[in-house]
Amino acid sequence: MNSQSLRTLEYDQIKEELRRYAVSYAGKEHVNNLLPMKYLTSIHRAIEETAEAKELLERGSSVPLPSLDGIEWIMSLLGTGYLYNEQDFMAVGTFLNSCSQLRKYMASKEHSAPRIGAYASSLMELAHVKDEINRCIRFGTIDDGASKGLEKVRKRLGVAKERLHKKIEGVMSRHQSILQENIYSMRNGRYVIPVKREYHKQVKGTVLDQSTSGQTVFIEPNEIAALQGEMDLLLADEAREEAVVLSHLTDLVEQEGSALKLNIEVTGTYDFIFAKAKYARSIGANVVAFNERGFVKMVGGRHPMLQGMVPISLEFGKGYKSLIVTGPNTGGKTVVLKTLGLLTLMAQSGMLIPVEEGSEFTVFSNVMSVIGDGQSMAQSLSTFSAQMKSMEEMLRGAGKGVLLLIDELAAGTDPGEGIALSTALLEELSRRGANIIVTTHFNELKTFAAATPGFQNARMEFDKDTLQPLYRLTIGEAGESYALQIAEKLGIDSIVIERSRQIVKEQRMEQGHRDAELQRRSFNDRKLKEKEMLFNSSNAENEANDGGELDKEAQEKGQLSSFEIGDAVYVSSLGRTGIVFEKRNGLGMVGVMIQKQKMFINHKRLKPYISKEELYPDDYDFDIIFESKENRKKKKLMRRKYVEGLSIVYDGDDS
């Protein structure tokens, strides 16, 4: 999947939310490595596992997921010769005990959760390791019975400690009058008594420390020094015996390193699956069906990161594979792209998604998006330049099974060129087989969607009364921008609004004329070419007459003397076709426009091609063809009212 698009569609934020529900480092690692899958069987399996886990949670089950506290540290030291301590073995023991509980729990759910239940059969209970740890380690310390040697030395140590304590108490009793307080303590592992500084020479022994004020001296009496030496030897014996026990347990853990790793893997898998299930419950997510037919139907889809959003429904892949979404600003067009894109990525990651029953998705090999302004200060890229750079990448990656999400295509440049570029890009991306969802404000792209196979219009609903977006997507209809209505509501002067409406009306009429004329000219050009081919083949012998002899068919129809404005004629002397713009005058000259150039030609040099009835409707305005845009505007104004000084001047060729 395209990494930039994953970030744009906030896939990483979903993973961050999901990570909060994982309780172990192994489960969090699964979340870190999560990516959308491209194979339907893998997606189905992952979704079914998540659904089973969600069902268990909804039944109120408390899943005994093993604790991995301290286990990561232990596994990192396997094979290094490190001697584990009592706390390490406590962690291993707790982990193995939890593995046993999880194995028994999932065995009891074999029928209700068969997919995830199968993982538990791989858990190794390692009873001999667990039992040995429990025998040797109690409450975080090595038990006396861990070994016979340790038991023996600790008994001797107990006797020695008792003798030492009695000896110290006797010394303190004799020197009670010179003691700062009647309590002994330890300094550097040695027993000492607190003697007032001025009397410290009365006690035979070694000064090991003194108080901060200097008023108390801590002395180790010579009488107990020998006993302390004996204690030190016994403590060393104890440490050696404890090391033997720890070494024995370390060997057991080392021998079962592979089994422990497997248990950690299974635990991480369970933690990951149940984290997906917990997250699914938190966002009201459900199972979604998948197909391999390229059909997508999203019913009531909600963006997981947007609270309180109106659910969105859309579909494509049957009859049309791409949508052009129009509508006002703040109407939710971008939300449509982000919601569809993110839910697609989540579903292909084996997650449940917030959609309603009846939703169906298909597997995309890639999801690419261009959403947001994409400006890059570092690369000095404008919004348009940044988008075009992304579009270049889309062109390279476009193909069947690829979903392209494009927000406001070519919006940051000249509208005329932007429309042309948008049309060409959409044609090429569609030709390569990609599914495209694009938002736009260009009215021309609405026409493109309506006329181009594989495309369909869609609009974001808007309340015309309140001028508030409804965030509903209607497929099959093109939307409006409502810019003037919004501007009026926000207080723009009514004079400006009315003038704006007048300009829009004129622009739309002009655009309508242009669109109609372009379509008509394209049709007429084809007809003229067909007629010309037939005419040339059937009347080649008449060319030598230079127009002096006319074909019998034309004579029979009586068309020579009655060329009408709008008729298509053939100019034999030029070998070109043209359109009559002025009827035959008294001198026998007919006005003919050839490729926008007007000229008068003797009627004898003209031959009829196609009558105006075949080319144009009865009420067609021929000014669209013969008049300039400026003159047409003047004529419209003249029809409405008299304007002093307003005139239309024709050049000699036009008169």
Side-chain angles (χ1 to χ4, degrees):
M1 291 287 177
N2 183 274
S3 57
Q4 178 60 44
S5 294
L6 291 178
R7 289 191 292 273
T8 300
L9 294 171
E10 300 173 320
Y11 184 72
D12 289 341
Q13 293 185 37
I14 295 300
K15 289 173 63 173
E16 188 62 39
E17 285 294 307
L18 184 58
R19 194 179 293 110
R20 292 176 48 237
Y21 290 92
V23 297
S24 69
Y25 77 88
K28 293 180 189 296
E29 191 63 27
H30 275 285
V31 176
N32 294 340
N33 297 329
L34 181 64
L35 284 173
M37 296 172 281
K38 301 178 183 179
Y39 298 103
L40 190 56
T41 52
S42 301
I43 295 170
H44 271 153
R45 184 180 66 247
I47 288 178
E48 288 172 8
E49 290 173 351
T50 309
E52 286 183 356
K54 179 171 176 272
E55 187 175 352
L56 288 178
L57 293 175
E58 288 176 342
R59 289 178 181 175
S61 298
S62 179
V63 185
L65 288 174
S67 169
L68 293 182
D69 291 342
I71 298 297
E72 185 177 13
W73 159 262
I74 293 168
M75 299 307 294
S76 69
L77 295 171
L78 278 178
T80 63
Y82 179 80
L83 189 68
Y84 297 116
N85 60 32
E86 295 89 334
Q87 285 67 41
D88 297 332
F89 292 116
M90 286 288 290
V92 172
T94 301
F95 172 57
L96 291 177
N97 188 57
S98 298
C99 287
S100 298
Q101 292 177 353
L102 180 60
R103 183 184 175 97
K104 292 174 183 176
Y105 171 83
M106 294 312 302
S108 69
K109 307 298 179 183
E110 182 180 1
H111 298 294
S112 58
R115 278 198 173 274
I116 60 175
Y119 288 115
S121 62
S122 300
L123 286 169
M124 309 292 286
E125 296 194 46
L126 302 180
H128 64 292
V129 177
K130 180 176 63 175
D131 292 345
E132 190 66 2
I133 290 175
N134 291 337
R135 185 185 71 83
C136 296
I137 310 294
R138 295 287 181 87
F139 308 110
T141 60
I142 301 176
D143 190 72
D144 293 351
S147 73
K148 291 183 178 179
L150 180 60
E151 185 177 19
K152 182 179 179 180
V153 74
R154 282 186 174 172
K155 284 182 178 179
R156 292 175 58 195
L157 191 57
V159 173
K161 278 185 179 179
E162 188 176 354
R163 287 171 55 201
L164 180 60
H165 290 162
K166 286 182 178 180
K167 195 67 168 176
I168 265 191
E169 289 171 358
V171 171
M172 292 184 69
S173 178
R174 292 199 307 271
H175 298 288
Q176 188 171 6
S177 60
I178 62 173
L179 297 180
Q180 195 69 262
E181 55 183 333
N182 192 29
I183 186 172
Y184 59 86
S185 59
M186 297 191 76
R187 291 292 188 275
N188 300 323
R190 314 289 288 184
Y191 286 97
V192 294
I193 59 175
V195 180
K196 295 177 182 178
R197 184 178 184 83
E198 60 271 25
Y199 301 112
H200 74 279
K201 291 184 180 180
Q202 294 183 22
V203 179
K204 294 182 179 179
T206 305
V207 176
L208 297 183
D209 198 5
Q210 62 179 339
S211 65
T212 304
S213 64
Q215 298 302 311
T216 304
V217 175
F218 298 97
I219 300 174
E220 178 190 32
N222 289 341
E223 297 175 59
I224 64 171
L227 290 176
Q228 290 206 125
E230 182 182 350
M231 280 280 298
D232 290 340
L233 292 175
L234 290 172
L235 288 171
D237 290 341
E238 181 189 37
R240 280 193 295 271
E241 290 297 331
E242 288 178 346
V244 170
V245 173
L246 295 177
S247 179
H248 164 62
L249 295 177
T250 298
D251 288 343
L252 282 179
V253 171
E254 291 274 357
Q255 291 169 15
E256 300 297 346
S258 297
L260 287 170
K261 286 180 180 177
L262 177 60
N263 282 6
I264 292 169
E265 278 184 34
V266 174
T267 296
T269 299
Y270 272 121
D271 188 16
F272 172 57
I273 293 172
F274 278 97
K276 289 192 294 180
K278 293 170 188 174
Y279 180 60
R281 294 186 69 195
S282 74
I283 61 173
N286 299 300
V287 174
V288 64
F290 267 88
N291 66 78
E292 293 181 300
R293 306 186 308 276
F295 175 62
V296 172
K297 183 178 182 181
M298 184 173 73
V299 182
R302 293 175 288 107
H303 195 290
M305 307 295 289
L306 298 178
Q307 299 297 323
M309 72 167 283
V310 177
I312 297 170
S313 298
L314 62 80
E315 65 178 83
F316 57 88
K318 287 183 181 178
Y320 57 92
K321 63 182 180 181
S322 300
L323 288 173
I324 292 182
V325 183
T326 50
N329 286 325
T330 72
K333 298 191 301 297
T334 304
V335 174
V336 171
L337 299 184
K338 286 194 170 185
T339 301
L340 173 63
L342 181 58
L343 296 190
T344 296
L345 296 175
M346 290 173 63
Q348 288 190 214
S349 300
M351 299 176 69
L352 308 189
I353 57 176
V355 293
E356 295 174 10
E357 187 177 351
S359 296
E360 191 172 348
F361 279 58
T362 193
V363 180
F364 291 105
S365 60
N366 201 357
V367 177
M368 305 179 74
S369 63
V370 182
I371 299 174
D373 61 22
Q375 289 184 333
S376 172
M377 300 301 291
Q379 300 180 39
S380 300
L381 294 178
S382 67
T383 299
F384 176 74
S385 299
Q387 190 187 71
M388 287 304 104
K389 185 170 182 176
S390 298
M391 291 306 302
E392 187 272 335
E393 187 175 355
M394 276 192 172
L395 283 168
R396 283 189 281 109
K400 187 176 181 181
V402 175
L403 176 61
L404 305 179
L405 306 170
I406 309 170
D407 193 24
E408 299 295 348
L409 178 57
T413 188
D414 172 74
E417 294 184 352
I419 292 165
L421 182 60
S422 297
T423 302
L425 282 169
L426 292 176
E427 287 177 342
E428 181 59 22
L429 293 171
S430 181
R431 186 188 69 79
R432 299 187 184 192
N435 294 90
I436 312 161
I437 313 295
V438 59
T439 68
T440 183
H441 281 294
F442 292 145
N443 287 325
E444 291 77 4
L445 290 188
K446 303 175 189 177
T447 305
F448 169 82
T452 306
F455 282 86
Q456 181 66 280
N457 272 309
R459 67 182 174 92
M460 295 304 298
E461 297 285 354
F462 203 72
D463 191 314
K464 295 181 180 180
D465 298 324
T466 64
L467 297 181
Q468 294 296 316
L470 300 175
Y471 301 104
R472 290 199 305 264
L473 186 70
T474 300
I475 295 177
E477 300 177 14
E480 300 179 26
S481 68
Y482 293 97
L484 298 184
Q485 293 93 324
I486 294 173
E488 184 177 26
K489 184 178 180 182
L490 294 175
I492 299 298
D493 195 290
S494 60
I495 296 177
V496 175
I497 298 298
E498 287 305 315
R499 176 57 182 151
S500 299
R501 288 189 173 123
Q502 182 183 359
I503 293 172
V504 168
K505 184 177 180 180
E506 292 175 357
Q507 289 174 340
R508 287 178 177 173
M509 290 178 63
E510 190 68 32
Q511 183 62 45
H513 287 314
R514 286 199 300 268
D515 291 344
E517 181 57 25
L518 285 173
Q519 293 179 12
R520 187 170 296 283
R521 285 183 182 179
S522 176
F523 173 74
N524 289 352
D525 286 345
R526 290 197 300 271
K527 293 190 69 174
L528 286 171
K529 286 180 181 178
E530 293 170 0
K531 194 83 171 179
E532 185 175 357
M533 291 174 65
L534 292 172
F535 186 88
N536 287 339
S537 62
S538 63
N539 297 287
E541 66 275 9
N542 294 330
E543 292 297 324
N545 296 329
D546 195 27
E549 297 292 334
L550 300 174
D551 60 83
K552 294 180 180 179
E553 181 183 2
Q555 290 179 16
E556 291 173 358
K557 292 181 179 179
Q559 292 173 321
L560 276 178
S561 59
S562 59
F563 291 119
E564 298 291 333
I565 294 175
D567 286 347
V569 295
Y570 178 77
V571 185
S572 57
S573 60
L574 300 177
R576 305 292 294 276
T577 58
I579 302 294
V580 174
F581 72 87
E582 187 173 314
K583 292 184 178 182
R584 173 182 170 182
N585 60 23
L587 299 176
M589 306 298 284
V590 179
V592 181
M593 187 173 74
I594 301 174
Q595 288 192 337
K596 296 186 179 182
Q597 183 176 359
K598 294 180 178 179
M599 58 186 70
F600 284 86
I601 301 171
N602 191 288
H603 71 278
K604 295 181 180 180
R605 297 181 183 274
L606 303 179
K607 297 181 181 181
Y609 263 16
I610 305 175
S611 68
K612 67 177 183 179
E613 286 79 8
E614 296 181 64
L615 292 176
Y616 305 100
D618 293 339
D619 58 349
Y620 187 73
D621 183 5
F622 287 103
D623 280 352
I624 295 173
I625 302 175
F626 302 134
E627 288 285 4
S628 67
K629 181 178 179 180
E630 182 181 355
N631 283 348
R632 291 202 304 274
K633 287 184 176 180
K634 288 182 178 180
K635 282 188 175 183
K636 289 179 182 178
L637 189 57
M638 286 177 174
R639 291 190 192 105
R640 291 200 301 267
K641 61 182 178 179
Y642 169 75
V643 179
E644 186 176 355
L646 182 66
S647 62
I648 299 175
V649 180
Y650 294 101
D651 295 334
D653 290 341
D654 295 336
S655 61

